[in-house]
Amino acid sequence: MKKILPFLCIVFFVNGCSRIGFYSEQDSKGLVIDHKLDGPLECDNDKVDCITKGEEGNPFLRARYEDTPGYLVEYFEISGREELEFVVVLDASQSMDDNLKKVGENLQPVLSYISDKKWRMVFMTADHGDHTGNTSDIWESYHGDQARFGKFMRLEKRGSILDQLILTDTTPEYEQIFKDTLTRRSPSECDLPPGCHGPHEQPLRSLKAAFSRYETDPSHKSFFQADTDTILLIMTDEDERRQDPQSATTAEEVIHTFKNMFKGKRKRLFAFSLSIQDESCYEEERRGIFSKKTAAYGHIIGRLAELTGGQNVSLCSKDYGAALARISQITRSLIESDLVLQKLFLLPETVRVSLDPIQEQVSWNLFGRKIRLSGPVQPGTKVKVSYQYEK
C-alpha cells in the first residue's frame, strides 16, 4: 500500500487518490441468486451500523455489518415513489389536424397505467413563440389560451375552458378533462385547448422554458415537486425547429436545464416521443393535405427519449396504449439505480449481489463503489451486497 500511494496522489484529480479509481467498470453476467437475503435487517448494537438516510443523494435505507475482518455485508431496501408528474407537449399546427381528432382517446390508456398512483399533469403547446410576425392568419399566430413560452395551458371540459392548469388524480371527471383538453374536434376550434398555432414547432425549447419558469411562475412552482419524477409526452409530426435545425434546442440542453433547475430535488426525467420514427408513418403523414411539405422524422425529439430511458413511439400507431406500456414499468419502480458501497478500497472481484425477491431479468454493473442495476426493480426489494476490502 505504501509503495503505490505516491503514484495514486499524482492522479488525485482524476481518481481522488483512491485505488478504486483503477477499476472503471466491472460487468456482471447476472446477479448472484443462489441464496436469499439473510442476516440482520434491523439495528443490532453488536455489529450493525444503521443508517437512516445513507450518503447525500442516496435514498435507500441501509444496514451493514462486518461478517469477518475485511469482509463487509451491506443491505439496501428499495422503495418506489408514490407520486408522478406528467408534462404533455402537443403540436397543434394545421398539419396535426387529423391526429388531434383522436389523440385524447388514444392516450386514455396512459391513465390506467397510473391509476394506483398520485399524479399531476399539465399540458403545453409545441409552439414556443419566439418566431417573428403574428398575422391575421390563425395558422401563423397562436390562438387559444396563449400557452406559449413554456406556460401551461388551461384545461377544458365539454367545451368550456376551466380556470385550472393542473389536472390531478383527485380532479372530478379527470378522464373527461384529459380527453377534451387534448382533442381538437374541428380545424376552426382554435379558442379551446389545445388551440391552434403555425408551423413553428419547438417542443424542446418550450420544455426548457417550462423548467426555467420554476423559479418565477407560481403555477410551475406548485407543479414541479421534490422527490417526484417527471414524465414527458411529446406529440408532433415534425422535428424540433424543422425550418432551421442547426439552431434547434437539443435533448442535452433540455436535460441540462432540468438538472440545473431541480438540483438537490431528487427528480428524474423520462421522455416519450410520439413522432414520425419510420418510413411507413412518414409516407402516411405526407399524404395529408397540410403535411405534404412539413412532415419530418423526429430525430432531435427522439434523442431526448433515448437519453432519458423513455421510448419513441410511432405517431401512426393504432394503439398508443400498447406502445406506451413502458410507462407502466417505470411507474411500478421509480427508483434510483445506484447503490453506494461503504468501503473505498474494495476488491471488485469479490463483490456479490443478490435480490429478494429474485428478479432474474435484472443484472448489475460496478462503477467504482457504485452498483448500478440494469432496470426497474420491484418496490420493497431487499438487496444484499457482500465484498472484501483492504483496511
Side-chain angles (χ1 to χ4, degrees):
M1 180 70 179
K2 292 181 179 179
K3 291 180 180 180
I4 63 171
L5 278 177
F7 169 76
L8 289 171
C9 291
I10 290 174
V11 294
F12 173 79
F13 293 105
V14 178
N15 292 325
C17 197
S18 162
R19 256 183 297 179
I20 202 63
F22 290 124
Y23 308 104
S24 60
E25 177 178 352
Q26 175 185 336
D27 292 326
S28 69
K29 294 181 179 179
L31 287 168
V32 177
I33 54 175
D34 58 343
H35 59 280
K36 295 214 171 183
L37 290 175
D38 51 15
L41 291 177
E42 298 180 354
C43 289
D44 184 331
N45 292 331
D46 293 334
K47 60 180 180 180
V48 178
D49 177 13
C50 289
I51 298 178
T52 57
K53 267 190 159 182
E55 299 184 17
E56 184 178 356
N58 186 347
F60 302 100
L61 296 176
R62 181 168 74 184
R64 60 175 176 262
Y65 72 91
E66 190 161 359
D67 193 4
T68 58
Y71 196 92
L72 202 65
V73 178
E74 298 192 49
Y75 292 99
F76 301 82
E77 183 169 355
I78 296 174
S79 58
R81 293 185 173 180
E82 295 300 321
E83 297 189 32
L84 301 171
E85 298 169 351
F86 284 83
V87 180
V88 182
V89 188
L90 206 60
D91 177 355
S93 64
Q94 194 172 24
S95 63
M96 283 285 290
D97 185 42
D98 288 340
N99 291 307
L100 293 176
K101 291 178 181 178
K102 60 184 180 181
V103 63
E105 292 184 359
N106 286 354
L107 283 178
Q108 283 278 9
V110 172
L111 298 179
S112 66
Y113 295 151
I114 56 177
S115 59
D116 61 338
K117 300 285 184 180
K118 296 180 180 179
W119 53 265
R120 298 183 298 281
M121 187 177 296
V122 290
F123 304 84
M124 295 169 46
T125 175
D127 182 358
H128 176 267
D130 67 341
H131 52 83
T132 58
N134 285 336
T135 71
S136 58
D137 186 344
I138 64 170
W139 298 109
E140 288 301 324
S141 60
Y142 183 80
H143 284 236
D145 199 26
Q146 299 300 319
R148 279 178 163 178
F149 307 104
K151 296 179 182 178
F152 301 151
M153 68 174 65
R154 288 196 289 172
L155 306 178
E156 176 194 348
K157 179 181 176 183
R158 296 190 176 92
S160 298
I161 300 178
L162 306 179
D163 189 21
Q164 183 179 346
L165 301 173
I166 301 174
L167 185 67
T168 74
D169 60 299
T170 61
T171 303
E173 296 186 79
Y174 67 78
E175 291 182 335
Q176 184 70 44
I177 296 172
F178 175 86
K179 183 178 69 174
D180 291 344
T181 302
L182 285 172
T183 304
R184 189 172 66 217
R185 285 164 287 273
S186 68
S188 60
E189 195 179 60
C190 292
D191 292 328
L192 293 173
C196 302
H197 65 69
H200 303 284
E201 292 84 348
Q202 296 188 90
L204 300 193
R205 181 159 188 181
S206 297
L207 284 166
K208 274 188 62 179
F211 298 150
S212 298
R213 285 181 173 275
Y214 174 73
E215 293 184 340
T216 58
D217 191 318
S219 62
H220 289 234
K221 191 81 172 180
S222 64
F223 176 74
F224 293 112
Q225 297 293 309
D227 297 304
T228 305
D229 291 321
T230 305
I231 297 178
L232 309 177
L233 294 176
I234 306 170
M235 184 174 185
T236 178
D237 63 348
E238 297 190 25
D239 205 2
E240 183 78 9
R241 204 176 180 101
R242 175 185 57 83
Q243 301 92 332
D244 182 21
Q246 291 78 17
S247 303
T249 299
T250 65
E252 288 81 359
E253 289 179 80
V254 174
I255 294 170
H256 175 77
T257 301
F258 181 86
K259 290 182 177 179
N260 186 56
M261 293 305 301
F262 305 117
K263 187 180 299 182
K265 301 294 185 183
R266 291 187 9 83
K267 297 170 66 67
R268 293 185 303 165
L269 186 68
F270 298 88
F272 290 77
S273 81
L274 288 83
S275 56
I276 299 176
Q277 296 291 329
D278 55 86
E279 185 176 354
S280 61
C281 185
Y282 176 72
E283 293 300 329
E284 181 178 335
E285 289 297 309
R286 281 177 57 84
R287 287 195 288 270
I289 297 176
F290 301 108
S291 57
K292 287 182 178 180
K293 297 181 180 180
T294 61
Y297 287 95
H299 295 308
I300 299 174
I301 296 169
R303 174 74 173 159
L304 183 61
E306 294 170 359
L307 291 178
T308 58
Q311 188 170 337
N312 286 307
V313 179
S314 175
L315 179 67
C316 303
S317 173
K318 304 303 181 185
D319 184 357
Y320 290 150
L324 291 171
R326 174 151 170 71
I327 290 179
S328 180
Q329 296 176 342
I330 291 174
T331 58
R332 284 200 302 269
S333 183
L334 284 169
I335 61 168
E336 303 290 343
S337 59
D338 288 351
L339 310 175
V340 182
L341 301 179
Q342 174 66 17
K343 290 298 182 181
L344 189 62
F345 297 117
L346 62 88
L347 302 178
E349 65 274 12
T350 68
V351 175
R352 298 291 181 270
V353 181
S354 61
L355 269 64
D356 184 13
I358 291 171
Q359 293 155 66
E360 296 184 5
Q361 77 282 6
V362 180
S363 60
W364 59 275
N365 289 309
L366 182 65
F367 298 86
R369 58 192 179 103
K370 292 182 179 180
I371 289 178
R372 184 165 301 167
L373 303 178
S374 65
V377 178
Q378 298 174 23
T381 296
K382 294 179 175 63
V383 183
K384 177 182 178 180
V385 184
S386 62
Y387 58 92
Q388 287 181 278
Y389 65 92
E390 294 186 26
K391 295 182 178 180

